[in-house]
Amino acid sequence: MPYFLKAIKLSLRYRWTILASVLNALLIGVLWGVSITTVYPFVEIVFEGKTIQTWLDDEIERTKELAQQYGADVAELERQRITGASDIELPARLEQGRARCGKAQETLSFYQTLESWLDKRIPSTPFGTLLMVMGFLIAVTILKGVCMVLNTVLVARVANRTAMDMQRIFYRAALGMDQQRIETTGAAPLMTLLSHNIGLVSAGLKSLYGTSIREPLKMFACLIAACMISWRLLLISLLAAPVGALLIHHLSKRMKKASLREMGGIASVLQNILETLSAIRIVRIYNREPRERCRFKHSARSLCKLSMKMAYYDSLVRPISELVGVVCLAVAVLAGAYLVLNQQTHLLGIRISDKPLTASTMFVFYAMLAGISDPARKMGDIYNVLVRAAVASRSLYTFFEQPAEIAAPADAHPVPLHAKSIRFNEVNFAYRPNQTILKKICLEIPFGQTVAVVGANGSGKTTLVNLLARFYDPQWGDIFLDGVKLRAMNPRKLRQQIGLVTQEPILFRGTIWENLIYSRPNASREEVLQASRIARVDDFVRQLPDGYQTHVGERGGMLSGGQRQRIALACAILANPRIMIFDEATSQIDRATEQLVHVSLREFLKQRTTIFVTHRLSTLELADRIIVLDNGRIVGDYSYAEYMSIQNASPPTLPAAA
């Protein structure tokens, strides 16, 4: 629940909307109580063939008689006090008599004032009174309906805007999350948190600011009316309520555990869908559709079982609340019937009322209890919603509020404009404990040098450049940019000087032009076209009917792999970085086009530090220096000529570049 309180605190930025909804809910509660109180004149007045005036006349006469009787009793008690009667209870009886007499006088004054005000404003016949009461009931119901609509809209505004704010906050946190944590968590759990869980929190806020405020106010209006009849009888009637509250509290603990499992099941199903659809070509080429259907069926069945358990717990809430309501009503009926039938004011030695209750008064009391039961039932219905919201809030805040390890230090060093060197000093790195990928890497790359990193798969080539981009930090050793530790820098400012093109470039849904300017949205048209010419994007774009406005599809799926790589290369070139990293950046480009790209790149790469991770011999021609990695260690540092002579002399002795 403390985590849900954070969501509530976030929603308080819309405090004026919340205040308006609360005031609106208060009006609904008053109208709810007023609509039920119309039962009283309907039963007490109309069915007895009276009008409101005649009923008031009778009440005034009855109250006068009571006032006279109480006055006579007080006078007698005063006489006994003056004569020195030895009754030790006399002062208390005298005080009670005076209170009764004063209350009767107040009631008489109220009835007389009300009669003078209503005399010329209400019908003078029983049927006319009935028409007035029914018209009043319809008007109140219409007004209450308008208020309900307004309340729903106000509450939805708060909940939806808060959900939008939470999505922005947590999406921002996701973008700043450590690379390793993102890869370990996976896309499906993140999507579940940012969509499903926030949806549950939004539903919880709607219930909190809507039903959980509106319905208790409706209950409160009925409770006040019931208290005015007999607050002692009301307390007796509600004796079973604490038992129901304890049962629901016990049930909520089970609901929280089941809700957590259900969220995990949703993430599993979503993960299954994402994996299958992203690899649909592989699924189809190997005819593995039956296997994927079976896997999805298993995940969906597990989720169904979890959802059924939640439905079972949810189904218990209403019967419990209804049982408690029936028990309360039964106690009230039995107690009230005993008091009315026997014209008693005490029950089990406890004073219930100052005067015997009438059947019509008890009928109104029961109507008030019925008016309490409907909001109480709705309160039971929202319990599951609030429990789910609390569990979802806990998952959101505990996940996204974990501090990132790759972050700017408090006293971040200004990032120097790269002009000297990049140095790896005794760098060790492991993705998992006891599985070291890079071992004691010592490497210095002067500014402006083009370095190719070669080696067998798994030797640590990509990891090396990932450390330079500070996607990860080494467990041991340090990396320096122009003499400054990367750990001491703001990673975002560091990456402003780095361009990266990977083996599997990911394009965003949109046009070719939009993907080209992703690295520099404010670039001029000529700069974009120049980058496109260097990467040979212009060669194939000219053949497309829509040119640069051609849509690339989901993840660039409407283009070939080579075309995607050239667009990604042009995007990196447009960023005009001081450090260029190519991780198998031309692996999907045909040899002829690759040669043209290399010719264009030679001029561009001057006055930049460039690192190629490659297996292609043709790419090595661009390198001033070739670093050979084997099992996480540097086993060779050659010029292009030296490396090729060694390869030609004895190919098996070094990891070959295919």
Side-chain angles (χ1 to χ4, degrees):
M1 206 61 181
Y3 295 101
F4 188 46
L5 291 177
K6 290 187 176 183
I8 295 172
K9 183 178 179 181
L10 183 63
S11 70
L12 292 180
R13 63 179 59 184
Y14 306 107
R15 59 180 63 87
W16 295 112
T17 305
I18 294 172
L19 179 61
S21 69
V22 170
L23 293 176
N24 193 265
L26 180 61
L27 180 58
I28 291 171
V30 172
L31 294 173
W32 175 262
V34 168
S35 64
I36 294 177
T37 56
T38 57
V39 174
Y40 185 77
F42 181 74
V43 174
E44 184 75 13
I45 301 172
V46 178
F47 275 17
E48 294 183 5
K50 298 179 181 179
T51 64
I52 292 179
Q53 291 93 330
T54 56
W55 175 80
L56 278 173
D57 289 340
D58 292 343
E59 288 297 311
I60 289 172
E61 288 301 319
R62 188 178 65 82
T63 306
K64 282 182 179 178
E65 292 176 1
L66 281 175
Q68 291 172 359
Q69 180 182 342
Y70 293 153
D73 292 342
V74 170
E76 175 60 25
L77 292 172
E78 286 283 1
R79 187 189 64 76
Q80 292 179 18
R81 184 180 64 81
I82 293 172
T83 57
S86 59
D87 187 355
I88 60 174
E89 295 183 359
L90 182 60
R93 290 167 57 198
L94 181 60
E95 183 66 26
Q96 186 179 26
R98 287 172 178 168
R100 287 180 179 178
C101 187
K103 187 175 181 180
Q105 290 293 341
E106 290 176 3
T107 304
L108 178 62
S109 176
F110 171 74
Y111 281 151
Q112 289 173 339
T113 303
L114 183 62
E115 183 182 40
S116 63
W117 188 84
L118 293 176
D119 191 36
K120 297 181 180 180
R121 292 179 172 84
I122 58 175
S124 58
T125 63
F127 188 73
T129 301
L130 179 61
L131 286 175
M132 183 194 70
V133 170
M134 291 301 100
F136 177 74
L137 180 60
I138 292 171
V140 167
T141 303
I142 292 173
L143 181 58
K144 186 175 66 176
V146 172
C147 291
M148 286 287 291
V149 172
L150 181 59
N151 182 262
T152 301
V153 171
L154 290 171
V155 169
R157 183 177 187 273
V158 174
N160 293 336
R161 284 182 172 268
T162 303
M164 178 187 68
D165 293 340
M166 291 181 73
Q167 284 176 327
R168 289 193 301 105
I169 291 169
F170 292 136
Y171 186 69
R172 181 176 183 177
L175 292 178
M177 199 178 296
D178 294 333
Q179 187 74 23
Q180 190 164 357
R181 189 152 174 254
I182 291 176
E183 293 169 356
T184 303
T185 302
L190 285 171
M191 290 177 64
T192 301
L193 287 168
L194 290 172
S195 57
H196 178 71
N197 283 36
I198 290 181
L200 293 178
V201 175
S202 177
L205 290 174
K206 287 179 182 177
S207 295
L208 178 69
Y209 290 126
T211 309
S212 59
I213 291 178
R214 185 175 61 245
E215 301 305 322
L217 287 173
K218 290 163 66 175
M219 293 170 61
F220 189 65
C222 294
L223 284 171
I224 291 176
C227 283
M228 292 174 65
I229 296 173
S230 175
W231 64 268
R232 297 179 181 88
L233 181 59
L234 179 62
L235 287 179
I236 293 173
S237 303
L238 298 178
L239 286 177
V243 178
L246 288 174
L247 289 174
I248 293 177
H249 176 71
H250 177 71
L251 186 62
S252 71
K253 294 181 179 179
R254 296 179 178 271
M255 292 170 69
K256 288 178 181 178
K257 294 179 180 178
S259 183
L260 276 173
R261 296 193 190 100
E262 184 185 35
M263 291 174 192
I266 292 170
S268 178
V269 169
L270 187 57
Q271 182 73 42
N272 190 292
I273 294 171
L274 288 174
E275 286 181 350
T276 303
L277 294 181
S278 62
I280 190 64
R281 295 182 182 181
I282 302 300
V283 173
R284 287 173 174 168
I285 200 67
Y286 294 118
N287 294 315
R288 300 300 286 168
E289 291 91 342
R291 186 247 187 195
E292 295 304 322
R293 287 198 300 268
C294 182
R295 196 158 67 102
F296 181 79
K297 180 181 178 181
H298 177 74
S299 300
R301 181 178 293 171
S302 298
L303 176 59
C304 182
K305 289 180 180 178
L306 294 170
S307 299
M308 287 303 299
K309 183 173 286 189
M310 278 300 300
Y312 168 70
Y313 290 143
D314 189 25
S315 68
L316 292 176
V317 175
R318 179 175 289 188
I320 290 173
S321 60
E322 287 186 355
L323 177 61
V324 171
V326 169
V327 171
C328 291
L329 186 60
V331 171
V333 169
L334 292 173
Y338 173 81
L339 293 171
V340 172
L341 294 175
N342 295 285
Q343 287 295 289
Q344 295 291 319
T345 58
H346 288 69
L347 183 65
L348 300 176
I350 302 173
R351 176 178 291 278
I352 302 300
S353 61
D354 294 331
K355 59 183 179 181
L357 299 172
T358 63
S360 58
T361 303
M362 284 308 305
F363 188 86
V364 175
F365 184 82
Y366 298 148
M368 293 303 161
L369 288 183
I372 294 171
S373 65
D374 181 67
R377 177 185 58 79
K378 292 179 180 177
M379 286 294 294
D381 291 342
I382 70 163
Y383 197 79
N384 179 31
V385 178
L386 293 177
V387 169
R388 285 174 177 248
V391 173
S393 299
R394 179 183 177 185
S395 299
L396 282 164
Y397 281 101
T398 54
F399 183 83
F400 286 110
E401 286 191 340
Q402 293 185 32
E405 294 181 8
I406 310 297
D411 54 344
H413 194 285
V415 180
L417 184 65
H418 177 46
K420 296 180 181 179
S421 68
I422 297 169
R423 182 163 61 90
F424 290 77
N425 182 35
E426 295 286 334
V427 169
N428 283 21
F429 178 79
Y431 292 104
R432 299 181 183 85
N434 303 320
Q435 294 184 10
T436 306
I437 303 298
L438 295 178
K439 305 166 186 176
K440 295 185 178 180
I441 298 295
C442 292
L443 174 66
E444 184 165 1
I445 305 172
F447 173 71
Q449 191 173 76
T450 298
V451 176
V453 182
V454 301
N457 290 333
S459 59
K461 305 184 299 297
T462 298
T463 301
L464 187 74
V465 294
N466 282 341
L467 291 177
L468 177 58
R470 212 181 168 207
F471 294 145
Y472 309 94
D473 279 340
Q475 282 85 24
W476 184 264
D478 285 298
I479 305 171
F480 296 85
L481 177 69
D482 291 5
V484 180
K485 289 182 181 180
L486 263 57
R487 295 178 191 270
M489 301 178 186
N490 184 326
R492 293 190 63 190
K493 293 184 178 180
L494 166 67
R495 293 166 193 154
Q496 289 175 355
Q497 298 194 52
I498 299 176
L500 174 65
V501 186
T502 63
Q503 183 175 5
E504 291 291 338
I506 302 299
L507 303 186
F508 295 91
R509 181 183 290 273
T511 65
I512 292 175
W513 186 270
E514 289 169 343
N515 278 276
L516 288 172
I517 65 171
Y518 189 80
S519 61
R520 272 183 66 199
N522 59 345
S524 67
R525 180 175 180 82
E526 183 53 40
E527 288 175 322
V528 177
L529 294 177
Q530 177 62 23
S532 299
R533 285 190 287 269
I534 294 174
R536 315 303 294 191
V537 172
D538 195 55
D539 293 353
F540 72 85
V541 168
R542 284 179 297 183
Q543 302 172 18
L544 299 174
D546 296 326
Y548 285 97
Q549 299 307 314
T550 300
H551 283 266
V552 302
E554 187 76 23
R555 298 167 64 91
M558 297 178 68
L559 302 175
S560 69
Q563 289 172 338
R564 290 198 298 271
Q565 279 195 329
R566 281 187 270 175
I567 292 173
L569 177 59
C571 180
I573 291 170
L574 185 63
N576 195 27
R578 305 286 287 181
I579 302 169
M580 285 291 293
I581 298 174
F582 298 95
D583 188 356
E584 301 289 357
T586 58
S587 60
Q588 299 182 54
I589 301 176
D590 63 89
R591 293 300 175 94
T593 304
E594 183 186 33
Q595 290 300 319
L596 294 175
V597 171
H598 286 175
V599 171
S600 302
L601 278 177
R602 286 185 187 278
E603 184 64 28
F604 176 77
L605 295 180
K606 291 179 179 179
Q607 296 303 308
R608 301 175 205 278
T609 302
T610 306
I611 301 176
F612 283 98
V613 174
T614 184
H615 285 95
R616 304 184 83 166
L617 288 173
S618 56
T619 304
L620 299 183
E621 296 174 358
L622 294 171
D624 303 317
R625 183 177 171 195
I626 298 172
I627 305 297
V628 182
L629 284 179
D630 183 27
N631 195 27
R633 298 179 185 274
I634 295 178
V635 297
D637 187 347
Y638 308 101
S639 67
Y640 175 73
E642 290 172 337
Y643 180 76
M644 293 308 297
S645 64
I646 294 174
Q647 287 292 100
N648 293 330
S650 53
T653 61
L654 289 172

